[in-house]
Amino acid sequence: MKQILFALTIFLCGSLSAHYSLSSDTFKPKEVYHSEDLVIIQISENAFVHTSFLQTNDFGKVPCNGLIIRDSKEVLVFDTPTNNPSSEALIQFIQKKLQCKINAIVPTHFHEDCLGGLAAFHEHNIPSYANMRTIELTKANQIISPRNGFKDSVQLNLGKTFAKVTFFGEGHTKDNVVAYFPQEKILFGGCLIKELNATKGYLGDANVGEWSNTVEQIKKAYPNVQLVIPGHGKIGGNALMDYTITLFKN
């Protein structure tokens, strides 16, 4: 298992040098936590990618990314780990290691890789926010629902800054949103954004015809993005959006 975790760390950290131009004074990614079920890598001064694992029938054991952003001892979390024990480990890391308050957890769509550990956050009375479409879909599928809804976008504060969560259109699902952290020009694309060379993946709830158009709208809205985090696989830059647009145009 240690070898697998080491390989995952190289996989995630190495992706930055492969897909995002790093100058000598840019933050160097580093692993700050690992267990059999959860890996956390700091990718900038105030951003961390958390990766947990989901066993699937079609794709095997899949690593699933989420994002933590921080300012002035406050954080926002985008997507829960895939289950409650891993989410509890993430919460403990944030509260004890980072010594930060969690202002909100935001699942970016209704699938298990985004909110499978939501109950753990609710047990700590951490506010949860989601697109109203996400809440409707969780209720329709009789799974745990976020407690606060927004229609098209919401601005969530942390410390002296903020992140904006926005629904740009359908793609991977009917409810998928993205989060932008302007302080560090980081976009969390979730499963709407593909890593380079990825396949189209699971399409059971997708709107393939609109997927490219949706990502094009995101690219127009955030022209200064420097880091892009997909729901699965390697992080990078704007090339991930370009790749996703091309993938679903073909």
Side-chain angles (χ1 to χ4, degrees), residues 1-200:
M1 179 57 70
K2 289 183 178 179
Q3 290 178 332
I4 294 174
L5 291 171
F6 177 76
L8 177 62
T9 302
I10 297 299
F11 175 76
L12 290 171
C13 290
S15 66
L16 279 175
S17 59
H19 304 311
Y20 175 60
S21 178
L22 292 173
S23 62
S24 60
D25 59 350
T26 301
F27 187 91
K28 301 300 186 292
K30 60 182 179 180
E31 181 186 276
V32 293
Y33 178 91
H34 73 261
S35 69
E36 291 187 0
D37 302 310
L38 180 68
V39 177
I40 303 173
I41 294 176
Q42 186 172 6
I43 61 169
S44 73
E45 188 66 30
N46 290 296
F48 306 77
V49 172
H50 66 82
T51 302
S52 55
F53 306 89
L54 183 66
Q55 188 64 47
T56 68
N57 293 328
D58 296 330
F59 302 99
K61 191 173 184 179
V62 177
C64 306
N65 297 332
L67 179 68
I68 308 162
I69 57 173
R70 172 181 64 181
D71 188 69
S72 303
K73 294 296 183 180
E74 296 178 358
V75 306
L76 299 173
V77 181
F78 300 99
D79 286 356
T80 78
T82 57
N83 55 55
N84 289 317
S86 295
S87 289
E88 181 63 32
L90 181 68
I91 292 166
Q92 293 301 317
F93 170 82
I94 292 169
Q95 293 179 339
K96 295 181 179 180
K97 181 69 174 180
L98 299 183
Q99 297 183 330
C100 288
K101 173 190 175 186
I102 304 173
N103 288 1
I105 170 67
V106 184
T108 56
H109 66 278
F110 77 100
H111 287 164
E112 186 177 3
D113 53 355
C114 294
L115 48 66
L118 188 57
F121 286 85
H122 287 172
E123 287 175 7
H124 286 268
N125 295 314
I126 296 167
S128 54
Y129 294 82
N131 185 349
M132 286 300 302
R133 299 168 184 83
T134 301
I135 295 175
E136 291 168 2
L137 285 165
T138 57
K139 291 179 177 179
N141 287 276
Q142 298 182 327
I143 54 180
I144 189 168
S145 295
R147 292 175 173 170
N148 302 282
F150 60 90
K151 185 178 180 181
D152 293 314
S153 66
V154 65
Q155 180 173 302
L156 298 172
N157 297 324
L158 68 159
K160 298 178 181 179
T161 187
F162 67 93
K164 189 172 183 180
V165 185
T166 305
F167 174 75
F168 282 93
E170 298 183 11
H172 176 68
T173 58
K174 295 179 180 180
D175 62 319
N176 45 211
V177 298
V178 299
Y180 184 58
F181 184 37
Q183 178 173 285
E184 295 191 346
K185 298 181 175 63
I186 295 173
L187 176 74
F188 181 67
C191 296
L192 184 60
I193 303 298
K194 295 290 184 177
E195 69 168 329
L196 295 183
N197 301 315
T199 64
K200 293 181 178 180

